[in-house]
Amino acid sequence: MKKTILATLLVAAFAAPAMAQTGAPAEAPAAAEAAPAPALTGNLGIFSSYRFRGIAQTYNDPALQGGIDYAHSSGFYVGNWNSNVSSGAGFPDGNLEMDFYGGYKQAFGDFGLDVGAIYYYYPGSEARVLGTNAKSGSVYNAEIYIGGSWKFMSLKYYYGLDNYFSLVGVDSTGTFTGKNTKGSSYLDLAANYDLGDGWGINGHVGSLNLQNVHNGNYTDWKIGVTKDISGWVIGASYIDTNANGNCSNNVLPISNYQPYCFSSSNSSSNGALQTSSSFKNAGNGIAVVSVSKSF
């Protein structure tokens, strides 16, 4: 997708900025200092589908994901996260997502602060076929973010520094306008509550403001449950959106463009965007199951 949630089995996460966790060390004797948290962490998992901000990135097929984080005791961190994707999600000729991020995170009692930047990169994809005045090279997206947390709740705001996932403006007829989508933003409200005995519940509501794309704005939400079994986390969640992805409305001539009607694959054959004949609403509700492990 350009500056943008699941049903069988495969995805994971070695570690993304919002996902990296460090378990509290066991309480030491009074005279001893608590052991420092490990500086290098990672996680790996498989999910039945990959949803990014509520929108299907693998055409509802499974995904394998992984990443790694380094956190310094000062609060600064860097990391990388990767996943398979579908070229039809806005990445012509591409099938891999690589995210690189860094920032500063600090806790103040029950409160926390997180500021940083993230760069999404899709090697092998072709951005120039994504519309009038689209840039050449691979599809990418660059954002800065600031977030705050209180106990089990967090709120984070992302702001786009360039065209949203290399996408340019689109009008109501589905015609590329050449206008920038720079300045698109996303607000993410999330909660993760520990029920004890390895059980947890989580929820999320997000809102995308996509600049200069007809019907591009939407809200997504998620509710889920997890169970930790000897370090393996089993998860199940339901994800849905109100994104405009009615594919029957994208039959020519178009009068009300639906940006979240995705094809199963996209290519840049002969220098032009070529889509498959199979389409789905990428924002439809879906249940996702997962298995992941941190290390």
Side-chain angles (χ1 to χ4, degrees):
M1 165 93 236
K2 289 192 134 214
K3 210 154 184 191
T4 92
I5 8 199
L6 336 138
T8 299
L9 182 103
L10 269 171
V11 162
F14 255 115
M19 297 181 65
Q21 299 182 19
T22 302
E27 187 174 353
E33 293 185 359
L40 191 64
T41 58
N43 62 71
L44 178 68
I46 54 176
F47 293 70
S48 57
S49 179
Y50 172 26
R51 290 287 179 117
F52 175 72
R53 296 175 178 171
I55 302 300
Q57 302 296 290
T58 54
Y59 206 66
N60 291 345
D61 288 335
L64 173 65
Q65 301 176 341
I68 192 165
D69 284 309
Y70 175 78
H72 191 267
S73 58
S74 64
F76 289 97
Y77 64 84
V78 294
N80 162 249
W81 183 88
N82 314 277
S83 174
N84 61 290
V85 294
S86 165
S87 62
F91 321 115
D93 296 329
N95 57 20
L96 176 65
E97 173 183 341
M98 303 177 70
D99 300 346
F100 303 91
Y101 49 85
Y104 176 80
K105 185 182 293 186
Q106 195 59 262
F108 307 92
D110 288 337
F111 296 89
L113 172 69
D114 185 12
V115 294
I118 183 167
Y119 182 82
Y120 309 81
Y121 177 64
Y122 301 84
S125 61
E126 185 52 73
R128 65 189 175 92
V129 299
L130 290 176
T132 305
N133 296 332
K135 297 181 179 179
S136 61
S138 296
V139 175
Y140 72 93
N141 187 42
E143 295 176 334
I144 54 176
Y145 56 83
I146 181 169
S149 62
W150 175 76
K151 293 185 176 180
F152 59 89
M153 300 186 66
S154 65
L155 181 67
K156 186 174 286 189
Y157 176 77
Y158 297 81
Y159 180 83
L161 302 177
D162 206 338
N163 283 341
Y164 190 70
F165 293 90
S166 302
L167 184 65
V168 296
V170 185
D171 67 16
S172 62
T173 67
T175 302
F176 292 113
T177 64
K179 294 181 179 180
N180 289 331
T181 55
K182 176 182 177 180
S184 295
S185 61
Y186 185 77
L187 187 63
D188 179 2
L189 174 65
N192 291 275
Y193 190 76
D194 186 357
L195 297 173
D197 196 29
W199 288 96
I201 54 175
N202 57 80
H204 149 89
V205 177
S207 179
L208 177 69
N209 180 17
L210 181 54
Q211 297 291 311
N212 295 317
V213 174
H214 181 73
N215 282 337
N217 299 348
Y218 68 88
T219 299
D220 69 281
W221 54 92
K222 168 189 173 182
I223 186 168
V225 61
T226 58
K227 171 62 175 177
D228 188 322
I229 304 176
S230 301
W232 293 91
V233 178
I234 312 300
S237 61
Y238 179 77
I239 301 169
D240 205 349
T241 80
N242 64 357
N244 289 278
N246 187 340
C247 294
S248 64
N249 283 2
N250 271 2
V251 178
L252 294 174
I254 297 172
S255 60
N256 186 24
Y257 177 60
Q258 305 285 295
Y260 303 106
C261 170
F262 286 179
S263 67
S264 60
S265 64
N266 286 339
S267 68
S268 59
S269 178
N270 299 320
L273 180 63
Q274 304 292 324
T275 64
S276 71
S277 59
S278 177
F279 294 85
K280 285 183 181 179
N281 184 336
N284 270 352
I286 188 172
V288 179
V289 295
S290 63
V291 180
S292 60
K293 183 174 178 62
S294 298
F295 52 90

